[in-house]
Amino acid sequence: MSIAFSFLPPSSHSLSSQSPSIPKSIPSFSFSPSSLRLRLTPSPSLRINHRTDPLFILHSSDSTGGGSFGGHDDGGSFGGHGGGGGDGKGNDGHGDGGESNDGDGHGHGGVNEVLLLLAQAGRSLESLPADLANAIKEGKIPASVVARFLELEKSPFMRWLLQFAGFKERLLADDLFLAKVGMECGVGVFTKTAAEYDRRRENFFNELEIVFCDVIMAILADFMLVYLPAPTVSLRPPLGVSAGAITKFFHNCPDNAFQVALSGTSYSFLQRIGAIVRNGSKLFAVGTASSLIGTAVTNAAINAKKAVNKASAEEIENVPILSTSAAYGVYMAVSSNLRYQVLAGIIEQRLLEPLLHQHKLVLGALCFAARTGNTYLGSLLWVDYARWIGVQ
């Protein structure tokens, strides 16, 4: 595409008459000392962005063309310093211009949305927690998340929970987070006990101490199994320059390997794998610690039973503490970690939430069913695994 300009000296002819020698698809200029006027005859390959300014931008509709012409130097709504133009493959140019409403090319239109929402609620950016305010200024938080924060703040209990960074990040990402914690811990005792009975049958009451140990471990671990793999809205500040490469890598990983990234945030495949590794290490520590407590309580109960009933002293054996604790830690790091990452990141956030986000009651019921089934499956897998490695 080509554009030609013709400058004519002042004459007595009106601008409404055009020289026959100028093609109709080419713009014609006439210049006088007092004014500059422009008349265009539209061409299919040209589109005009109108402005009230004396100067405006003329864009080419050709996909391989360069950026914009002219424009103001303030990097405003259009143009800026001309832009670098795309490469015909969907990549943006590298000029100063662009078509961002704020002219800086960083998507700060979202910040304006948030500020408008706060103004309507009678709040200011300074009234928000510092980490949330900083994330908003960086364009990482959409208006929907801020609206959820303002709604949660209306409850005194939620306002208290929002003081803790971990709860705040999870509640902003999922308003059913606390309900899921209740589901998990509430059904944990019943599903674990039912699974133990299904596997042990006639030996259930004879191995009641072991069953009790498993249930204690489940209760202590259920909360962390919901908490750690839950999707979050990341409000963590960047690490200092002195932090090591490995620390920085895991700091930038998501909390759930499959969670949806907010606008302004993206996770690489390696970072998502890192989320599984990081959560696995945490769940190993949680599983080992909870098993230590559970087996210690169980052995105390066994010893008390032996003291009361001398005849059963030789029939009942203490549960091996170290081997059982290490085995449960490995089980939590591998089986539980992967199952709960898939449950929270894929089944709930990517499948159920988009379909039923306006039907919270149905969404909660389906999440309850999914988590109940997952808990029961986990109990069955643990019994098989414990018997396979010989700790039970």
Side-chain angles (χ1 to χ4, degrees), residues 14-186:
S14 170
L15 284 172
S16 61
S17 62
Q18 185 178 1
S19 172
S21 62
I22 301 176
K24 292 184 178 182
S25 62
I26 298 176
S28 175
F29 286 94
S30 67
F31 179 82
S32 67
S34 60
S35 64
L36 174 64
R37 298 180 182 177
L38 171 67
R39 182 158 59 96
L40 297 174
T41 303
S43 171
S45 63
L46 299 176
R47 61 185 174 85
I48 301 174
N49 291 331
H50 295 283
R51 290 181 60 162
T52 56
D53 304 44
L55 299 176
F56 59 91
I57 304 162
L58 185 64
H59 289 279
S60 167
S61 62
D62 188 349
S63 63
T64 61
S68 58
F69 295 89
H72 289 295
D73 289 337
D74 58 6
S77 300
F78 301 92
H81 294 287
D87 59 5
K89 299 179 181 179
N91 298 323
D92 295 331
H94 300 285
D96 299 330
E99 295 194 8
S100 168
N101 289 335
D102 289 288
D104 54 13
H106 296 294
H108 285 183
V111 178
N112 290 338
E113 262 185 67
V114 172
L115 295 178
L116 179 60
L117 175 66
L118 290 174
Q120 291 173 345
R123 299 285 297 273
S124 65
L125 197 59
E126 291 73 20
S127 67
L128 301 179
D131 53 357
L132 180 59
N134 290 334
I136 291 173
K137 292 175 184 176
E138 294 171 4
K140 295 180 179 179
I141 305 298
S144 58
V145 172
V146 178
R148 181 174 296 167
F149 174 83
L150 297 177
E151 187 67 25
L152 290 171
E153 266 199 328
K154 295 178 181 178
S155 165
F157 176 67
M158 290 295 186
R159 188 162 58 247
W160 176 75
L161 277 182
L162 289 171
Q163 298 177 29
F164 304 97
F167 277 101
K168 179 164 56 183
E169 291 183 335
R170 285 160 176 80
L171 288 169
L172 292 181
D174 182 6
D175 52 359
L176 291 179
F177 170 71
L178 281 187
K180 292 172 183 177
V181 172
M183 294 174 196
E184 199 71 36
C185 295

Side-chain angles (χ1 to χ4, degrees), residues 268-281:
S268 67
F269 177 76
L270 195 59
Q271 286 176 320
R272 293 186 181 274
I273 295 297
I276 296 176
V277 174
R278 184 183 63 188
N279 274 357
S281 63

Side-chain angles (χ1 to χ4, degrees), residues 232-248:
T232 59
V233 173
S234 180
L235 301 176
R236 293 183 294 253
L239 293 175
V241 292
S242 60
I246 296 178
T247 303
K248 288 181 179 179

Side-chain angles (χ1 to χ4, degrees), residues 79-374:
H81 294 287
D87 59 5
K89 299 179 181 179
N91 298 323
D92 295 331
H94 300 285
D96 299 330
E99 295 194 8
S100 168
N101 289 335
D102 289 288
D104 54 13
H106 296 294
H108 285 183
V111 178
N112 290 338
E113 262 185 67
V114 172
L115 295 178
L116 179 60
L117 175 66
L118 290 174
Q120 291 173 345
R123 299 285 297 273
S124 65
L125 197 59
E126 291 73 20
S127 67
L128 301 179
D131 53 357
L132 180 59
N134 290 334
I136 291 173
K137 292 175 184 176
E138 294 171 4
K140 295 180 179 179
I141 305 298
S144 58
V145 172
V146 178
R148 181 174 296 167
F149 174 83
L150 297 177
E151 187 67 25
L152 290 171
E153 266 199 328
K154 295 178 181 178
S155 165
F157 176 67
M158 290 295 186
R159 188 162 58 247
W160 176 75
L161 277 182
L162 289 171
Q163 298 177 29
F164 304 97
F167 277 101
K168 179 164 56 183
E169 291 183 335
R170 285 160 176 80
L171 288 169
L172 292 181
D174 182 6
D175 52 359
L176 291 179
F177 170 71
L178 281 187
K180 292 172 183 177
V181 172
M183 294 174 196
E184 199 71 36
C185 295
V187 303
V189 176
F190 301 103
T191 54
K192 299 287 186 186
T193 305
E196 294 283 345
Y197 180 78
D198 184 65
R199 280 286 187 248
R200 302 180 192 278
R201 295 293 179 178
E202 66 276 0
N203 293 323
F204 180 80
F205 291 101
N206 294 331
E207 300 175 351
L208 197 58
E209 293 82 5
I210 298 176
V211 173
F212 180 73
C213 174
D214 290 346
V215 173
I216 290 295
M217 288 189 293
I219 294 173
L220 295 174
D222 278 342
F223 171 76
M224 297 306 294
L225 282 171
V226 182
Y227 183 87
L228 289 178
T232 59
V233 173
S234 180
L235 301 176
R236 293 183 294 253
L239 293 175
V241 292
S242 60
I246 296 178
T247 303
K248 288 181 179 179
F249 170 75
F250 283 111
H251 178 80
N252 293 324
C253 291
D255 286 283
N256 186 287
F258 308 102
Q259 75 176 60
V260 177
L262 295 175
S263 58
T265 305
S266 63
Y267 302 114
S268 67
F269 177 76
L270 195 59
Q271 286 176 320
R272 293 186 181 274
I273 295 297
I276 296 176
V277 174
R278 184 183 63 188
N279 274 357
S281 63
K282 292 180 180 179
L283 287 173
F284 174 80
V286 170
T288 303
S290 64
S291 182
L292 283 171
I293 297 173
T295 51
V297 172
T298 299
N299 284 344
I302 291 174
N303 292 332
K305 187 175 182 179
K306 287 179 180 179
V308 174
N309 188 358
K310 301 292 184 180
S312 63
E314 295 181 358
E315 298 178 3
I316 305 175
E317 297 182 358
N318 286 357
V319 179
I321 295 179
L322 295 181
S323 58
T324 302
S325 300
Y328 195 64
V330 172
Y331 170 79
M332 290 270 287
V334 180
S335 175
S336 300
N337 183 25
L338 292 175
R339 285 187 291 106
Y340 278 87
Q341 296 252 4
V342 170
L343 175 63
I346 296 179
I347 296 176
E348 290 179 341
Q349 190 181 46
R350 291 185 179 269
L351 296 180
L352 297 180
E353 172 66 24
L355 292 174
L356 302 168
H357 65 279
Q358 293 182 341
H359 306 280
K360 295 296 184 182
L361 188 61
V362 179
L363 176 60
L366 289 178
C367 289
F368 176 82
R371 287 185 173 272
T372 301
N374 179 60

